[in-house]
Amino acid sequence: MAINYTWDCKTVDVKTIDGNEDTVFNVHWRLTGTDDANTVEDLEGNDVAVTASVYGSQELDTSDLSDFTAFADLTASDVQGWVEAAMGADKITEIKAGLDANIAELVTPTVQTKQVG
C-alpha cells in the first residue's frame, strides 16, 4: 500500500510583530493520505481512491524574524515547511502512521456496523 500525502497549509493567523505586518504566527493545516492502489465506492457509485485526513493548528516561533517574508510573497510551500519544522519529524511520522491505519481500516475493515431485526 503506497500512500501519498498532501499538505494544505493555506489558512493562517497573522498579526503585526516587531513592525512586520501580517506576520504568520499560527497555521491551520490538513494532511491527507491517498492510497491510489485501493478504491472504495462513493455515494454516487463511483470508485474513488481511499483517503483519510487529519487537521489541526500549529503555532510558529516568531521570536526571530530576521528572515521575515512579506505576506504577499509567501507560498503554500513556505508555510508547509514552517509547519513541518515546528512539528518535527517524529510528530509527522506519528500523524502519517495514524492516516495509514485509517486507510488500512477502510480497505480491510476489522469492524462492521449491522442492524438487528
Side-chain angles (χ1 to χ4, degrees):
M1 170 170 55
I3 297 175
N4 298 308
Y5 303 96
T6 307
W7 285 94
D8 178 345
C9 298
K10 297 175 192 166
T11 304
V12 298
D13 297 324
V14 300
K15 63 183 174 182
T16 299
I17 301 175
D18 295 334
N20 296 301
E21 291 184 22
D22 294 335
T23 301
V24 176
F25 70 93
N26 190 56
V27 179
H28 304 271
W29 57 266
R30 177 179 299 275
L31 183 60
T32 300
T34 303
D35 178 3
D36 293 325
N38 290 288
T39 60
V40 292
E41 192 174 294
D42 68 9
L43 296 176
E44 288 83 36
N46 302 310
D47 285 337
V48 296
V50 178
T51 64
S53 63
V54 62
Y55 62 91
S57 63
Q58 178 63 51
E59 188 172 342
L60 302 177
D61 180 5
T62 58
S63 62
D64 179 7
L65 297 176
S66 59
D67 290 331
F68 180 77
T69 304
F71 188 82
D73 297 329
L74 286 180
T75 65
S77 179
D78 293 334
V79 178
Q80 175 185 332
W82 297 342
V83 168
E84 290 186 53
M87 284 184 169
D90 290 345
K91 182 65 175 176
I92 293 169
T93 299
E94 178 184 319
I95 292 169
K96 288 180 177 180
L99 289 173
D100 294 352
N102 289 345
I103 289 172
E105 180 66 24
L106 291 168
V107 172
T108 310
T110 58
V111 175
Q112 295 179 350
T113 301
K114 296 184 176 186
Q115 292 184 347
V116 177

